[in-house]
Amino acid sequence: MNILRNIAIPCGATLAIHVVVIAALFSDWQPKIEHKLVKPPRHIEAKLVELKPKAKQAKQEEKPKKVDLTKKQRMLEEQQRAEKLKREAEVKKRQELEAKKAAEAKKKKEQAAAEAKKKEQQRKEEQQRQLRIQQEFEKALLEEQGQLLEDSYATQAQSYAALIRQRVERSWSRPPSARNGMRCELSIQLVPSGRVIDVQVSRSSGDAAFDRAALKAVKKIEAFPELQDMPIGLFEREFRNFKMVFQPEDLRQ
């Protein structure tokens, strides 16, 4: 029952609406028109205004902008290339600056080394010059000392030779055959103690008796103790092999 009641109500309402519509169509029904008073229009002064075209701009605003990725990529690459060139230029400039500093430091070092070498050379030359001066001075001093020593030796040699001659003459016995103009030269070998170790006739007088008398006079003495105080240098040079000449110029012919 409930179901029938629920179906019957909508159906009845629908049927009623259809009846009303059909009746209105057959009765020549018209809607009520309300008449309104129309006021006459006022005069309006119109001016021509030139408007700037905005259509394209509007269209451009309406259309989404297209991004040129290729151009953007190219600009990015150019920017990166410019930055790379800038970095390379900075690196090159820094390297050139460092190279310049290194070259200047090397030049200064070489100049300092050259200056030090020059000073060392000058020092060595000065040292050699001073050494030459010292050597020349020492040589001159030695020569002077040598000359003094030579003079001293000569004086001492004359003194010792006179002493030997006096002693030999005192022990000499003149042979009867001795005459003026005779000359006998003896070679006497001595040792530093003054002892006579040998005596020979190095040049004969031509008279055997005169030569024997000269040899006998030296051998009779045997030694000259005075020679012990003689400088060894003088002894070696003048008296180890002593030459003595006998010339009896004071004898009658």
Side-chain angles (χ1 to χ4, degrees):
M1 287 297 291
N2 290 331
I3 295 171
L4 292 175
R5 189 169 46 248
N6 292 334
I7 294 171
I9 292 171
C11 289
T14 302
L15 182 61
I17 292 170
H18 286 170
V19 172
V20 171
V21 171
I22 293 170
L25 290 174
F26 284 100
S27 64
D28 195 14
W29 176 82
Q30 292 182 356
K32 185 179 180 180
I33 299 171
E34 182 179 358
H35 296 281
K36 293 182 179 180
L37 180 63
V38 179
K39 295 180 179 181
R42 296 179 180 178
H43 295 285
I44 299 173
E45 184 180 359
K47 293 183 179 180
L48 181 61
V49 179
E50 184 180 356
L51 299 176
K52 294 182 180 180
K54 295 184 180 180
K56 292 183 178 181
Q57 184 178 359
K59 291 180 180 179
Q60 290 178 358
E61 291 178 354
E62 292 176 359
K63 293 182 179 180
K65 294 183 179 180
K66 293 183 179 180
V67 179
D68 191 347
L69 297 178
T70 304
K71 183 177 180 181
K72 187 175 182 181
Q73 181 66 25
R74 187 166 58 251
M75 292 176 63
L76 180 61
E77 291 176 354
E78 289 178 356
Q79 183 179 1
Q80 291 177 349
R81 190 181 303 110
E83 291 177 354
K84 182 179 179 181
L85 292 174
K86 183 179 179 181
R87 288 194 301 270
E88 290 177 352
E90 291 176 352
V91 171
K92 184 178 180 180
K93 184 177 180 181
R94 186 167 59 253
Q95 291 176 346
E96 290 176 351
L97 182 61
E98 291 175 354
K100 184 178 180 181
K101 289 182 179 179
E104 290 177 353
K106 183 179 179 181
K107 185 178 180 180
K108 289 181 180 179
K109 186 177 180 181
E110 290 176 351
Q111 289 177 347
E115 186 67 21
K117 185 177 180 181
K118 183 178 179 181
K119 289 183 179 179
E120 180 64 18
Q121 184 66 24
Q122 291 176 348
R123 186 189 67 79
K124 288 182 179 179
E125 290 177 355
E126 180 63 20
Q127 186 177 12
Q128 291 176 356
R129 189 179 71 84
Q130 293 294 337
L131 181 60
R132 285 196 301 270
I133 293 174
Q134 182 67 23
Q135 289 175 346
E136 291 174 359
F137 173 77
E138 291 177 355
K139 183 179 179 181
L141 182 62
L142 288 174
E143 289 177 353
E144 184 178 357
Q145 290 176 348
Q147 185 62 42
L148 292 174
L149 183 63
E150 184 70 22
D151 294 342
S152 176
Y153 277 2
T155 302
Q156 292 183 62
Q158 291 176 1
S159 177
Y160 282 108
L163 186 147
I164 293 172
R165 188 179 303 278
Q166 288 174 3
R167 291 196 58 191
V168 170
E169 287 179 353
R170 283 198 299 265
S171 66
W172 178 42
S173 297
R174 298 176 182 83
S177 60
R179 295 291 184 272
N180 288 339
M182 288 184 177
R183 178 185 176 88
C184 176
E185 183 175 322
L186 299 180
S187 176
I188 305 171
Q189 293 185 6
L190 302 168
V191 293
S193 63
R195 187 169 62 86
V196 177
I197 60 175
D198 191 22
V199 58
Q200 298 289 335
V201 176
S202 58
R203 181 177 292 180
S204 175
S205 63
D207 186 271
F210 187 83
D211 293 345
R212 284 195 301 270
L215 289 172
K216 185 177 179 180
V218 175
K219 290 180 180 179
K220 186 178 179 180
I221 296 176
E222 295 183 354
F224 302 94
E226 298 85 356
L227 302 183
Q228 294 179 4
D229 298 331
M230 181 186 299
I232 189 65
L234 176 61
F235 174 82
E236 291 293 338
R237 193 175 71 176
E238 300 290 343
F239 291 94
R240 183 171 287 279
N241 292 297
F242 180 68
K243 301 293 182 180
M244 184 174 179
V245 178
F246 283 85
Q247 290 179 308
E249 299 295 338
D250 57 336
L251 299 178
R252 64 177 177 84
Q253 295 183 359

